[in-house]
Amino acid sequence: MEGLALVALMAGAVLVTAVARRLGVSPPLLLVAVGLCASFVPGIPAYAIEPELVMVLVLPPLLYSSARESSYLRFRDNLRPIGLLAVGLVLFTTVVIGYAAFWLVPGLPLGSALVLGAVLSPPDAVAATSIGRRLGLPRRLLTVLGGESLVNDATGLTAYRVAIASVAGAGYTLLQGVGVFLMAAVGGSLIGLAIGWLARIGHRFLPGDLASALGLLVPFLAYLVGEEAHTSGVLAVVVAGLYLGHRSPDTEATSRLQVYAVWSALDTVLEALVFALIGLQVRGIVDTVDTGVGRLVAAGAALTAVTVLARVVWVYPGTYLPRLMFPRIRARDPYPPWQYPVVLSWAGMRGVVSLAAAFAVPETTDSGAPFPGRDEILFLTFFVTVGTLLLHGLTLPPLIRRLGICNKEAYEDALAEANAQHGAARAALARLEELAGEQASHQAVLETLRQTAEARRNAAWERLGGPTGGGAEPPSVAYRRLRRAMLDAERQEFVRYRDERLIDDEVLRHVMRELDLEEAALQRE
């Protein structure tokens, strides 16, 4: 892909994203639709997905950014439903699609059909979670969808490697396949934790700009080290992101602000790029199939239905059977509203990872023979990917509205934040009183700081309609120094509230960003 064509693609993708946001429609859906139309316009370059480019340069930063913004505590609390979807459902879908393709596509060997099943097994929840956030889905649903999208790529790619090796000539027994999966999961997690720990040490000793630069390298380093160690690079990235996101309050305020701004911009560009690329593949993929396009279209439509139904068939038993069979699970986690499994079962959009894996299928086996069914795998992957994106993208928003699911946690979050603000203001004032004896000549500064802390505490209650409270060092320098000490005390108190499960990570990020902005303003002054 030439440089000018790539820049034009990125600019066009960002422009379409801006239009989608202005119109209030899902950006991934509009990007795919525009890409599909643009692929047939004369003069549009033939864009091709490079598997190595996607796997090394696109997937790691997207996963890392999503993991950093996720809540480790909520992820841990929902580990059972996330695991059932990200591991159980992916393996179930691999087998179901594999056998369905073997039956639907004449001449496609079972091994190649299972490769197709592994390619299509992991959903890409980026589009689904973006729709859910825009429509105000409850936090738990977003946590489960987001957690699934973080882990399911690792499961699907591991199953893909086993299936490719079986077809190419280096077959695995069932026991060996399980061993490969466990090695990928455990090894990738340990590598991600180690890299996250090292990056955290670096963040504590590096200035803000260098710390931000180090943060940009973490996802690529975690992925490459994980892959070189023959483990899951995807899991290494996810674990590193979860760890660093959970530990982000330990870093400097300027570093956090820079990281937030950089990753927000990078996410927007990369997500726009990958969905635009999906649509632009249609012309090239159709050209690879010389004959039997009608037959493959019919098979693609049937496989799309199988893919959708496999998720529905798995989600409902996965939601209700564990609670029905184990009273301890039911007592700890009661049955969810019936609308929850409906939404979860209808959020199975496929994405660029499936296309990248399909393009990465080797052209020949170890013996030098052509890889059986490669063109069919590529065509059917594209058909199902676009089909699920359009089907779910068009129907999920009205379904959510029809079900009447809404986020009822806003008031609880505001109340929890007000309580945390009250405690943080108390901690900040206590710290100020400790330092007040050293600042006897700056009574006006001390009083201003007291008023600032009181105002912050009162503002949180006012949003709820609740009670209101009523040496040679220059004063401006003393104000900034003392206010920074108070901000540190407030941060520690908010982190304590988060660790004690009194507020959610989303609330913590909100208040930390406010404190970071204030500290940045103090530094600019």
Side-chain angles (χ1 to χ4, degrees):
M1 190 182 298
E2 296 182 0
L4 183 59
L6 178 60
V7 171
L9 173 60
M10 294 174 67
V14 171
L15 178 61
V16 172
T17 300
V19 171
R21 291 181 179 179
R22 189 68 178 265
L23 296 176
V25 301
S26 172
L29 190 63
L30 187 60
L31 283 162
V32 171
V34 171
L36 284 169
C37 298
S39 65
F40 292 102
V41 174
I44 296 292
Y47 294 96
I49 289 181
E50 299 291 340
E52 288 298 321
L53 179 68
V54 172
M55 293 298 184
V56 177
L57 297 181
V58 176
L59 183 61
L62 284 176
L63 286 173
Y64 177 76
S65 176
S66 180
R68 275 190 64 96
E69 289 298 309
S70 299
S71 168
Y72 160 73
L73 297 175
R74 274 191 277 133
F75 186 95
R76 188 184 66 188
D77 288 346
N78 291 279
L79 197 57
R80 177 182 52 80
I82 289 173
L84 284 172
L85 292 173
V87 179
L89 176 57
V90 169
L91 297 177
F92 174 73
T93 305
T94 298
V95 175
V96 170
I97 293 179
Y99 277 93
F102 175 66
W103 183 72
L104 288 167
V105 183
L108 185 67
L110 180 59
S112 298
L114 289 172
V115 170
L116 175 63
V119 165
L120 290 172
S121 60
D124 182 352
V126 170
T129 52
S130 67
I131 291 172
R133 287 195 182 94
R134 180 163 52 87
L135 297 177
L137 277 182
R139 181 176 293 142
R140 187 176 189 191
L141 273 178
L142 291 175
T143 298
V144 173
L145 283 173
E148 178 193 8
S149 70
L150 290 176
V151 180
N152 62 9
D153 288 336
T155 307
L157 292 175
T158 302
Y160 167 80
R161 289 173 184 166
V162 173
I164 287 287
S166 298
V167 176
Y172 289 100
T173 66
L174 178 61
L175 186 60
Q176 287 173 326
V178 172
V180 169
F181 180 80
L182 291 177
M183 176 64 183
V186 176
S189 299
L190 291 176
I191 288 172
L193 189 61
I195 290 178
W197 182 79
L198 291 172
R200 181 191 173 207
I201 298 299
H203 286 159
R204 295 176 65 180
F205 292 101
L206 292 174
D209 54 345
L210 291 179
S212 300
L214 176 63
L216 286 174
L217 296 177
V218 167
F220 306 106
L221 181 62
Y223 181 83
L224 291 173
V225 171
E227 291 297 308
E228 286 296 320
H230 302 290
T231 64
S232 173
V234 169
L235 273 183
V237 173
V238 169
V239 171
L242 283 172
Y243 177 82
L244 289 173
H246 188 68
R247 296 294 184 179
S248 62
D250 297 343
T251 58
E252 292 183 358
T254 53
S255 177
R256 281 192 298 271
L257 291 172
Q258 289 176 355
V259 165
Y260 175 75
V262 168
W263 283 108
S264 294
L266 191 59
D267 277 354
T268 300
V269 173
L270 289 179
E271 288 178 9
L273 180 65
V274 297
F275 285 108
L277 274 174
I278 290 174
L280 288 166
Q281 300 307 299
V282 60
R283 188 177 67 190
I285 290 176
V286 171
D287 290 343
T288 63
V289 182
D290 297 327
T291 59
V293 174
R295 174 177 54 84
L296 286 179
V297 167
L303 281 179
T304 302
V306 169
T307 303
V308 172
L309 290 176
R311 186 175 179 91
V312 174
V313 168
W314 181 271
V315 165
Y316 281 91
T319 300
Y320 294 107
L321 277 182
R323 295 175 172 89
L324 186 64
M325 296 171 62
F326 301 101
R328 292 182 60 183
I329 294 178
R330 187 167 63 248
R332 186 175 64 251
D333 186 12
Y335 291 106
W338 65 270
Q339 296 96 331
Y340 282 27
V342 174
V343 173
L344 283 176
S345 64
W346 204 249
M349 304 174 183
R350 269 53 186 175
V352 72
V353 173
S354 293
L355 279 179
F359 275 102
V361 172
E363 296 184 1
T364 60
T365 63
D366 292 348
S367 63
F371 195 97
R374 185 180 187 276
D375 290 344
E376 287 81 356
I377 290 172
L378 195 57
F379 182 91
L380 292 171
T381 299
F382 174 79
F383 192 100
V384 175
T385 297
V386 175
T388 54
L389 276 171
L390 295 177
L391 173 65
H392 295 308
L394 291 171
T395 58
L396 188 58
L399 176 66
I400 292 173
R401 296 189 188 98
R402 180 75 174 176
L403 293 174
I405 303 177
C406 60
N407 187 349
K408 299 178 181 178
E409 297 153 335
Y411 180 81
E412 288 80 0
D413 282 350
L415 181 60
E417 180 182 344
N419 280 307
Q421 290 279 15
H422 190 88
R426 185 169 58 246
L429 289 170
R431 178 60 176 154
L432 180 62
E433 295 307 321
E434 292 176 10
L435 300 172
E438 307 170 10
Q439 310 296 325
S441 59
H442 297 311
Q443 289 300 318
V445 172
L446 296 174
E447 185 58 32
T448 300
L449 289 170
R450 290 190 186 99
Q451 292 174 0
T452 300
E454 291 287 351
R456 184 183 296 278
R457 177 173 61 186
N458 291 340
W461 288 111
E462 288 167 0
R463 285 196 293 271
L464 289 167
T468 59
E473 186 179 46
S476 60
V477 175
Y479 176 86
R480 289 195 297 271
R481 177 173 58 80
L482 294 174
R483 183 57 191 150
R484 279 196 293 268
M486 294 172 68
L487 290 172
D488 288 337
E490 291 186 48
R491 289 192 185 98
Q492 292 173 15
E493 191 70 2
F494 281 124
V495 172
R496 184 179 70 81
Y497 270 72
R498 189 277 308 272
D499 291 341
E500 293 179 6
R501 315 306 295 276
L502 299 175
I503 61 173
D504 188 81
D505 276 275
E506 194 168 326
V507 175
L508 176 66
R509 280 193 292 270
H510 172 70
V511 295
M512 291 290 285
R513 199 160 293 145
E514 289 185 347
L515 297 178
D516 292 345
L517 287 169
E518 182 175 345
E519 182 166 338
L522 290 173
Q523 291 174 350
R524 288 189 64 184
E525 291 170 2

